[in-house]
Amino acid sequence: MSSTRPTIYDVAKEAGVSKSLVSLVLRGSDNVSARSATAVNDAIKKLGYQPNRAASDLAAKRRNLVAVLIDDYSNPWFIDMLQSLSEILTPQGYRMSVIDSLTSGSDTDPITHALTMRPDGIIIAQDIAEKSLPENMPPFVVAGTRFTPLESDTQFATHAVSNDDFLGAKLATEHLIGLGHKHIAHINVHSGAGQKRLASYTASMKEHDLVPLANETPGPATEHYGYTQALALLESHPEITAFFASNDITAIGVLGAARERGLRVPEDLSVVGYDNTPLAQSRLVSLTTIDDNSIGVGHNAAYLLLNKLGAKKSYPDVEHTLVPQLVKRSTTAAPRLN
Amino acid sequence: MSSTRPTIYDVAKEAGVSKSLVSLVLRGSDNVSARSATAVNDAIKKLGYQPNRAASDLAAKRRNLVAVLIDDYSNPWFIDMLQSLSEILTPQGYRMSVIDSLTSGSDTDPITHALTMRPDGIIIAQDIAEKSLPENMPPFVVAGTRFTPLESDTQFATHAVSNDDFLGAKLATEHLIGLGHKHIAHINVHSGAGQKRLASYTASMKEHDLVPLANETPGPATEHYGYTQALALLESHPEITAFFASNDITAIGVLGAARERGLRVPEDLSVVGYDNTPLAQSRLVSLTTIDDNSIGVGHNAAYLLLNKLGAKKSYPDVEHTLVPQLVKRSTTAAPRLN
């Protein structure tokens, strides 16, 4: 043994593996065969190698930071997901920082913005407009049903976790149909999830020989948009007795429109949202909605990301598609008999 | 002139100034006297110096990133502030990333977390528990009334922008008193702003010979907390005809409690919030509240931060204390005559 301190290269040479593999072992990655790990650990012991923690962190570019990209803070669906991401990532030493598309700066796309923070990983929980992801993408996971450049990628499923939006929208529509509603309108929202919910609503209506009715051009997921669209639909189609809104925040807008027109909820108008946000759960709103399992999506997205980050513990068999559930509250009832 | 390319040191020597001053001029800082700027620019011209943009950015440690620290995503007061910060910072080339205290990771304080992203500046819009700020703090601004280690600092005012919480709470309390309410309860919330609002409410009640009534131990600013405290107060003091809640999110909880007890709002119970969040503005809730001028706070916090960052344009005479306003909506009215 030479008098100078052994380096990672000495360990690699001794173990007969690459330096990268030694790095992986030092970082506790599970993506290493037991045999290689043993060889590396034996070499470390034999040479008396002491990993320089700062240097190995630098080499691994670990900042213990996960960037989370969301659309818009005023749509509170993301709150449960953030909380559940944190429940898994925080005990593993990761911190989270959030970027939303509205305030992140219009000059650059959110991915480029996220990369400037040099995160270890990225959770994409917003629709991404770019045609392709940059080549220097760190490990990432798509959370929720999103428009992304990956959709046509055969590997897409391995990157994504979401609730089954088609099933959820079917549950919402069939809940209203089951109560006896025939004139059920939909608030159509422009997003990956929104378009899947629209398709499912339309299919369910047709399956029951009912006529689908929605604002034709999808709009933003805001309370104001739900309000204006509901007012317009109620004006042109006074026969409407129920709304399935694409999400809770637009459902709040529908409830505002009902109030404006003097319609009692649920006596005169039934309303179903989607997301089961804290707002829907509040006793004031008490909104019938679809629980999109944001908590499960957050947990599983975190597990997938940890697998990709080569965390010490790995999580096999993470479910990519979670089952949504109808949550019946105070905003739905059978229609009045005319 | 030597055959090698002139360096920033050559420029500094030629202009008779320090290298740091040349850097400032290259970054377009206004914190440089006209005379020095002219000397530097003349030297640049004479030597044919071409600044290496990447190197000068690195030297200046500019990442064009501003970290924003907030308390909790489920309290939507911060949405307007973020939007207005962005309106000023984005055109100046800055991007924002948000860290909340709930999900940022319990192992480290939010400031330490923010520093790992190496932001150019920090907006502190949460209460900070630490006894002192780290020495390597970048330029920062405190937005809103906060508990911070700076409160006793005589320089504190130069770092802070907020609405006048004492005045705002006085407006809320006096609005209810002016309507004829005598039994006005307060939802007392644990935060820098909350404690100022409590003190102001108490003072206003006493000034009008009324008895202040609030939950004794301040709690978290959540809908659930507002709900449970309002239920308890209504149970022990059925004479209550009005609530001034410390903020909109707890006011939503009070509205839920009213609903639970079969009290109509505003006929049986008046409710005032604070913050004028998008929720308060929604037609469904239509909450009487105090506009805390989050937009002005965001704009002015951004101006102050840009001044500290040595931006090209500087903003003199930024107001540090903004005037709040009462916004009368549907949740307040005169008490019923008994």
Side-chain angles (χ1 to χ4, degrees):
Chain A
M1 207 160 107
S2 86
S3 60
T4 55
R5 287 180 56 181
T7 67
I8 194 167
Y9 294 98
D10 301 325
V11 174
K13 196 174 168 191
E14 176 74 27
V17 300
S18 70
K19 173 186 156 285
S20 305
L21 201 139
V22 178
S23 286
L24 280 174
V25 173
L26 290 173
R27 278 148 62 193
S29 168
D30 272 0
N31 299 332
V32 173
S33 73
R35 194 168 54 171
S36 300
T38 306
V40 169
N41 284 321
D42 287 348
I44 286 170
K45 237 179 261 174
K46 182 174 172 195
L47 298 177
Y49 173 72
Q50 297 218 324
N52 176 332
R53 174 76 196 205
S56 83
D57 276 3
L58 199 66
K61 289 184 188 159
R62 281 195 62 161
R63 303 170 66 77
N64 298 316
L65 181 67
V66 172
V68 183
L69 308 187
I70 66 168
D71 265 314
D72 173 7
Y73 288 105
S74 58
N75 180 351
W77 77 267
F78 70 91
I79 295 170
D80 280 348
M81 185 202 63
L82 273 189
Q83 182 65 40
S84 58
L85 280 171
S86 164
E87 283 166 10
I88 306 303
L89 294 175
T90 299
Q92 302 288 324
Y94 288 95
R95 305 180 200 97
M96 287 157 44
S97 188
V98 178
I99 294 166
D100 81 315
S101 50
L102 282 185
T103 62
S104 67
S106 51
D107 57 329
T108 51
D109 65 273
I111 299 270
T112 306
H113 174 181
L115 293 178
T116 63
M117 301 194 299
R118 298 204 281 121
D120 300 279
I122 299 182
I123 301 284
I124 301 176
Q126 66 173 199
D127 295 312
I128 297 291
E130 296 85 73
K131 293 237 170 60
S132 61
L133 294 172
E135 283 187 17
N136 58 339
M137 276 294 280
F140 67 93
V141 171
V142 177
T145 303
R146 311 286 166 204
F147 293 131
T148 75
L150 296 163
E151 273 183 293
S152 55
D153 186 336
T154 51
Q155 294 290 301
F156 177 64
T158 67
H159 298 299
V161 180
S162 69
N163 93 112
D164 184 340
D165 280 294
F166 200 91
L167 174 58
K170 185 180 159 78
L171 292 174
T173 311
E174 292 192 340
H175 169 55
L176 292 168
I177 294 171
L179 286 168
H181 292 276
K182 304 208 175 306
H183 301 287
I184 303 165
H186 180 64
I187 303 295
N188 169 20
V189 160
H190 177 77
S191 70
Q195 291 312 291
K196 195 156 264 186
R197 292 170 195 172
L198 171 69
S200 169
Y201 154 81
T202 306
S204 289
M205 291 293 279
K206 288 184 176 166
E207 203 176 295
H208 289 82
D209 293 321
L210 297 173
V211 183
L213 174 63
N215 51 308
E216 270 188 46
T217 314
T222 62
E223 183 264 339
H224 184 70
Y225 187 74
Y227 170 77
T228 57
Q229 296 307 303
L231 272 192
L233 285 164
L234 286 167
E235 185 69 29
S236 59
H237 294 82
E239 70 276 16
I240 293 171
T241 61
F243 274 91
F244 163 40
S246 194
N247 49 34
D248 289 352
I249 193 81
T250 49
I252 302 290
V254 175
L255 293 173
R259 185 180 165 140
E260 188 92 348
R261 287 183 67 95
L263 297 172
R264 291 165 304 161
V265 174
E267 293 84 349
D268 305 323
L269 192 73
S270 284
V271 181
V272 182
Y274 204 113
D275 289 340
N276 199 24
T277 54
L279 208 53
Q281 296 166 40
S282 76
R283 280 171 184 82
L284 175 66
V285 179
S286 189
L287 181 71
T288 297
T289 188
I290 302 297
D291 185 337
D292 62 348
N293 207 335
S294 286
I295 293 172
V297 170
H299 285 163
N300 286 14
Y303 292 138
L304 274 189
L305 190 65
L306 286 172
N307 284 345
K308 293 182 174 206
L309 290 169
K312 280 186 187 161
K313 197 174 161 191
S314 75
Y315 306 87
D317 307 323
V318 176
E319 285 285 339
H320 291 266
T321 304
L322 299 173
V323 177
Q325 281 193 306
L326 175 70
V327 183
K328 289 182 217 173
R329 292 204 182 91
S330 312
T331 57
T332 48
R336 279 181 305 158
L337 297 171
N338 285 318
Chain B
M1 205 161 109
S2 86
S3 61
T4 57
R5 287 180 57 182
T7 67
I8 193 167
Y9 295 97
D10 301 326
V11 174
K13 196 175 168 191
E14 176 73 28
V17 300
S18 70
K19 173 186 155 285
S20 304
L21 202 139
V22 177
S23 285
L24 280 175
V25 172
L26 290 173
R27 278 148 62 193
S29 167
D30 272 0
N31 300 330
V32 172
S33 73
R35 192 166 58 171
S36 301
T38 306
V40 169
N41 284 321
D42 288 348
I44 287 171
K45 236 178 261 173
K46 182 173 171 193
L47 299 177
Y49 172 72
Q50 297 218 326
N52 176 332
R53 174 75 195 207
S56 83
D57 276 4
L58 199 66
K61 288 185 187 159
R62 282 195 59 161
R63 302 172 67 79
N64 298 315
L65 181 66
V66 172
V68 183
L69 308 186
I70 66 167
D71 265 314
D72 173 8
Y73 289 105
S74 58
N75 179 351
W77 78 267
F78 69 91
I79 295 170
D80 280 347
M81 185 202 64
L82 273 189
Q83 183 64 39
S84 58
L85 280 171
S86 163
E87 283 165 10
I88 306 303
L89 294 175
T90 298
Q92 302 290 322
Y94 287 95
R95 305 180 201 97
M96 286 158 44
S97 188
V98 178
I99 295 166
D100 81 315
S101 50
L102 281 185
T103 63
S104 67
S106 52
D107 56 331
T108 51
D109 65 273
I111 298 270
T112 306
H113 175 182
L115 292 179
T116 64
M117 301 194 299
R118 297 204 281 124
D120 301 279
I122 299 182
I123 301 285
I124 301 176
Q126 66 174 201
D127 295 311
I128 297 291
E130 296 84 72
K131 293 237 169 61
S132 61
L133 293 172
E135 283 187 16
N136 58 339
M137 276 294 280
F140 67 93
V141 171
V142 178
T145 303
R146 311 287 165 202
F147 294 132
T148 74
L150 296 162
E151 273 184 293
S152 54
D153 185 337
T154 51
Q155 294 289 302
F156 178 63
T158 67
H159 298 299
V161 180
S162 69
N163 93 112
D164 184 340
D165 279 294
F166 200 90
L167 174 59
K170 185 181 159 79
L171 292 173
T173 312
E174 292 191 340
H175 168 56
L176 291 168
I177 294 171
L179 286 168
H181 292 277
K182 302 204 176 310
H183 302 287
I184 304 166
H186 178 65
I187 303 293
N188 169 21
V189 160
H190 178 77
S191 70
Q195 291 313 290
K196 196 157 264 186
R197 293 170 194 171
L198 171 69
S200 169
Y201 154 81
T202 305
S204 290
M205 290 294 279
K206 288 183 175 166
E207 203 176 294
H208 290 82
D209 293 322
L210 297 173
V211 182
L213 175 63
N215 51 310
E216 271 188 46
T217 314
T222 62
E223 184 263 339
H224 183 72
Y225 188 74
Y227 170 77
T228 56
Q229 296 307 304
L231 271 192
L233 285 164
L234 286 166
E235 186 68 30
S236 60
H237 294 82
E239 71 276 15
I240 293 170
T241 60
F243 274 91
F244 162 41
S246 194
N247 48 35
D248 288 352
I249 193 80
T250 50
I252 302 291
V254 175
L255 292 172
R259 185 179 165 139
E260 187 92 347
R261 286 181 68 95
L263 296 171
R264 291 166 304 162
V265 174
E267 293 85 350
D268 305 323
L269 191 73
S270 284
V271 181
V272 183
Y274 203 114
D275 289 340
N276 199 25
T277 54
L279 207 53
Q281 295 166 40
S282 77
R283 280 170 184 84
L284 175 67
V285 179
S286 189
L287 181 71
T288 297
T289 188
I290 302 297
D291 185 338
D292 61 349
N293 206 335
S294 285
I295 293 172
V297 169
H299 285 163
N300 286 14
Y303 292 139
L304 274 190
L305 191 65
L306 287 172
N307 283 346
K308 293 181 174 206
L309 289 169
K312 279 185 189 162
K313 196 174 160 191
S314 75
Y315 305 87
D317 306 324
V318 177
E319 285 284 341
H320 290 267
T321 304
L322 300 173
V323 176
Q325 281 193 305
L326 175 71
V327 183
K328 288 182 218 172
R329 292 204 183 92
S330 313
T331 57
T332 47
R336 279 182 305 160
L337 297 171
N338 285 317

